[in-house]
Amino acid sequence: DIVMTQSPDSLAVSLGERATINCKSSQSVLYSSNNKNYLAWYQQKPGQTPRLLIYWASTRESGVPDRFSGSGSETDFTLTISSLQAEDVAVYYCQHYYSPPFAFGPGTKVDIK
Amino acid sequence: EVQLLQSGAEVKQPGESLKISCKASGYTFVSHWIGWVRQMPGKGLEWMGIIHPGDSDTRYSPSFQGQVTISVDRSTTTAHLQWSSLKASDTAMYYCGRHRAPSSYDGFDIWGQGTMVIVSS
């Protein structure tokens, strides 16, 4: 089974500054047949349901602000918030969907400095 | 509007059985995988398993295999998660989610509002 790890566990960033979250999978989640990385990112604000931000590692879900971007391939991925806003305070999770079980990472908590 | 509506909170005693539900609407139910995710109090998201409503093909996480049963009722466009004998450690919020693309493994683009299950004597 593929294991997901994230770093850091938490970070505090000033408003308007960049936040970077890393995600690593224990094996590649890149399907060679379609050249897609089976990796998603979610945001979960306090007391709320998770929200899909990014799929295929870098495709933004409809309605997600363009300050959120995803990058990476195979085993190493990054979620970047280019200019942190107050409403971005949340826990962010990566998840692979390469082959079941589709594990989530442990989460990264983002706060305002 | 595409939505998943989950059943209400439950308070149960250890050893009791339970079946919670996730009613889908606004899209072709049989086309998208539906999954279940556990979130224990103050903890992260745990993937439990998925089911394809078209043929009931089901995949479980090894951590939950044999502990829960995932099923669907196509006549009511509802997915279910059930336990035969609850434990205190089953206390958690349970979310259902729909895979984004039809008949494909994908991220969960639509989530239910969550069902809180409390198991306590």
Side-chain angles (χ1 to χ4, degrees):
Chain A
D1 296 350
I2 298 173
V3 176
M4 309 299 291
T5 56
Q6 290 183 230
S7 63
D9 294 334
S10 64
L11 74 161
V13 175
S14 300
L15 288 172
E17 296 300 304
R18 179 185 300 260
T20 301
I21 300 168
N22 301 300
C23 171
K24 188 181 285 280
S25 56
S26 60
Q27 63 189 72
S28 176
V29 299
L30 174 65
Y31 253 119
S32 54
S33 59
N34 59 12
N35 201 38
K36 288 186 174 182
N37 288 284
Y38 282 53
L39 190 284
W41 287 97
Y42 300 88
Q43 173 193 64
Q44 187 178 31
K45 296 182 180 181
Q48 295 189 17
T49 297
R51 174 195 184 191
L52 177 66
L53 295 177
I54 303 282
Y55 57 94
W56 302 132
S58 61
T59 302
R60 208 177 295 116
E61 172 72 334
S62 175
V64 173
D66 61 7
R67 63 180 179 274
F68 291 93
S69 63
S71 62
S73 187
E74 296 193 52
T75 62
D76 291 278
F77 301 91
T78 300
L79 176 70
T80 301
I81 310 172
S82 60
S83 176
L84 192 76
Q85 305 300 303
E87 61 265 32
D88 300 334
V89 168
V91 179
Y92 293 84
Y93 298 92
C94 60
Q95 181 206 18
H96 84 85
Y97 46 95
Y98 183 85
S99 62
F102 299 152
F104 289 93
T108 295
K109 186 176 182 182
V110 174
D111 269 319
I112 305 296
K113 185 187 291 183
Chain B
E1 181 192 3
V2 176
Q3 63 177 0
L4 298 174
L5 185 62
Q6 296 186 230
S7 50
E10 301 275 359
V11 179
K12 292 288 192 179
Q13 295 193 337
E16 290 189 315
S17 62
L18 176 64
K19 190 174 190 177
I20 63 175
S21 64
C22 169
K23 180 166 175 60
S25 61
Y27 71 98
T28 304
F29 178 66
V30 295
S31 295
H32 295 250
W33 290 87
I34 283 186
W36 289 93
V37 175
R38 183 175 79 174
Q39 188 166 39
M40 299 176 80
K43 302 298 184 183
L45 304 175
E46 298 176 87
W47 188 89
M48 301 177 71
I50 52 172
I51 187 166
H52 194 282
D55 59 7
S56 295
D57 184 11
T58 309
R59 314 294 170 91
Y60 291 96
S61 163
S63 300
F64 293 95
Q65 179 88 47
Q67 308 304 307
V68 298
T69 301
I70 295 171
S71 61
V72 291
D73 182 340
R74 282 183 284 276
S75 68
T76 60
T77 65
T78 301
H80 297 282
L81 177 67
Q82 67 181 76
W83 296 258
S84 58
S85 181
L86 286 161
K87 311 181 194 66
S89 57
D90 293 318
T91 294
M93 180 72 83
Y94 293 87
Y95 294 103
C96 61
R98 183 194 83 157
H99 276 198
R100 189 190 61 85
S103 295
S104 296
Y105 292 157
D106 212 314
F108 291 124
D109 68 334
I110 304 296
W111 292 71
Q113 81 277 22
T115 296
M116 186 68 206
V117 174
I118 297 172
V119 184
S120 174
S121 54

